Amino acid sequence: MKLTIRAIAFAGAATSALLATIPAQAQAPLKIGFVTSLSGPEGVIGRDLLDAFNLALKDGGNTMGGRPVQVVTGDDQVKPDVGRQVVDKMLDSDKVDILTGINFSNVLLAVVKPIMDSGKFYISPNAGPSQLAGKQCNAHLFSVGFQNDNNFEGLGKYLKEKGLKKIYFLAPNYPAGKDMLTGFKRYFGEPMQSEVFTAMGQLDYSAEIAQLRAAKPDAVVMFYPGGMGINFVKQYAQAGLMSQIPLYTGPGTVDQTTLGAIGDAAVGMYTGAMWSEFLDNAASKKFAADFEAAYNRIPSQYAAQAYDTGHILQSAVDAVGGKIDDKAAFRKALENVKFDSVRGHFKFNTNHFPIQDYYLVQVEKDSKGRLVSSLREKIMSDLADAYSGDCAMPAQ
Amino acid sequence: MTFSLFIEQLLNGVQLGVMLFLMAAGLTLVFGIMNLINLAHGSLYMAGAFFAATVFQISGSFLLAVPIAVALTALVGGVVERAVLRQFYARSHLDQVLVTFGLILVFNDAVRLIWGVVPVPLAPPEALAGSVHLFGGVDYPAFRLAILGVGALVALGLYFVVSHTRIGMWIRAGASNRPMASALGVDVELVFSLVFSAGAGLAGLAGLMAGPITAVQVGMGEPILILALVVTVIGGIGSIRGAFVAALMIGVGDTFGRVLLPPALGSMAIFMLMAAILAWRPKGLFPVHG
């Protein structure tokens, strides 16, 4: 009995000692949940996103609006169901304040509802499915990368202006693949010579490449992110087609996450992109230099997007003095965010998707013999996506 | 489809089939003789590609990379068999599936630790980098012809070893009736080790031959493992001949399915083929166990 009383007394003393320390701490930490693909072949994308996001946080001294920042990471394994579990855990047990990080559209579409139901904000560094830009737009969802159609809208306009007629299109059979084709056709304005959708994760494209060679197109436009792109480009080059039929692609296919593995086979390929490491602005140059100094490799477009995501959060949370629980104020701060984008100029449209420029870049070797995406020309100015008209942005 | 395109697609199909055969040969022997389901077979395929990429990078010689990578993969297979899998021969298939699935995770993380998350480069050797002009105006990648040749050689070699040598006799005896083979004085344990290492070496060979045409990256073995399992089941578990015939069927069926059928149906083609064959012959095309 005596022992119990002493135990309670001790517990009481300990608790009050703990309580006494709380006022000394300036403010509760801001917990950011970063869900991305960290394992498997797509782990390389998640790593670039997370590294660049952390680099941006470092620029702000790992403090936002006076609150220390704590990043909680989770691995979605590129599986919508796993992503859902990770998000549920972050919301229920980690009690994160803001979520970000997802690279694949199918994963994002699976987790939007629980995040929005919880009232938290989601800032998308990469995935930009058309659904979320249009009818299912949301007051608490912001997309920093692009709307999926955008890069291919730029390519469509460019190839139309070049006067090409026969376009052979290939992509994996999933939401982003469909979005890219829709975007391309919107600005190209004419039917494709052929539209081929292949299984997700396909290894061998010899059959598809034989078909397209026989069709003799003016250009091949394809979207194969990650390992699929490595397979396709290697096999396209080995079939001797790289010098015969120009090959165009969009985000995440031929960039610093895959160029090392594709090797010289990729030289000469074109990509529609919203960022290149050669963009001539101070923020971009600082980012490219800092990233290479910190991680000893050239950043990809993914990294550029995540870096901007970090700076957007920094600026918006600073603007509300860390009080993100005032949701209307925080949303307003995000909508009117002012920051130095690596893309030169950037702003959010009414549907919380970007309005920005797009460029044509081409793979070549730099003076150190490394494969880089050199800037060729601007192909779109201040492009807004086609879905913002369908978005009736809720007031809350 | 013109005739030359048809021939080109047929070559593509046979070449995919030959790749699958290299994978399935080891899988079917291990399954048939040791009654062991080895899901980690795909990890050995991955190991072969990574070993070859490293040796090629250091030495600059693909010809040197081939034997070294095959030997290293066989060695890894032998070590895993001795250290882990040997304890599981007598256990249920579920236990085997669990432990070999665990091995996949271990292998994937080991590769990530050693080589990192970024896919590594592995180019075809200089002499085979371009394409070859075949009859009828078909330009075919030289390296894919090399895969065809290597696969055909391996198939012939395996046929000779299994059908015309003493070791082959032990293997066949072990596959059709293990207790009896053991009772007749065959050193079953030795045969098991040899077969497992040889199967690992073949998986490594498949991986390094696939390296120059696909991405050499963590987890590259899993998609091909599924196809190899399909081949094994269609061919009849334990049958090399069955694996060869089934691999060619799957390779050609998958290629033409992708080209001729709408996308959703095309990727299902081989599984529908498997279902049809199993409904007709539940033990596969060339059943080994009576």
Side-chain angles (χ1 to χ4, degrees), chain A residues 4 20 42 81 94-95 105 119 140 199 225 270 284 306 360 384:
Chain A
T4 325
E42 275 72 23
D81 52 325
D94 295 327
K95 307 241 180 277
S105 296
H140 291 170
Y270 295 98
S284 176
L360 189 72

Side-chain angles (χ1 to χ4, degrees), chain B residues 181-246:
Chain B
S182 182
L184 290 175
V186 175
D187 184 349
V188 176
E189 201 160 272
L190 177 71
V191 172
F192 281 13
S193 289
L194 280 178
V195 166
F196 195 90
S197 294
L202 285 178
L205 180 64
L208 78 91
M209 293 307 281
I213 54 176
T214 61
V216 180
Q217 60 185 355
V218 174
M220 66 185 279
E222 278 100 84
I224 193 128
L225 175 78
I226 296 171
L227 292 178
L229 282 170
V230 170
V231 165
T232 309
V233 171
I234 292 183
I237 288 160
S239 165
I240 291 275
R241 186 162 45 137
F244 187 71
V245 173

Side-chain angles (χ1 to χ4, degrees), chain A residues 35-37 45 49 76 78 100-112 122-133 141-151 174-176 179-180 223 251 301-302 305-306 309 348 351-354:
Chain A
V35 185
T36 196
S37 308
I45 299 173
L49 290 169
D76 63 32
V78 205
T100 180
I102 295 171
N103 41 316
F104 277 82
S105 296
N106 48 351
V107 180
L108 177 59
L109 286 169
V111 303
V112 161
Y122 182 80
I123 319 292
S124 177
N126 185 60
S130 54
Q131 293 89 334
L132 299 178
L141 185 133
F142 289 79
S143 181
V144 177
F146 43 78
Q147 197 278 313
N148 285 343
D149 303 16
N150 290 159
N151 293 283
Y174 85 121
D179 280 357
M180 309 273 171
F223 170 64
Q301 181 176 303
Y302 291 112
Q305 293 161 200
T309 304
F348 281 120
N351 61 348
H352 297 174
F353 273 65

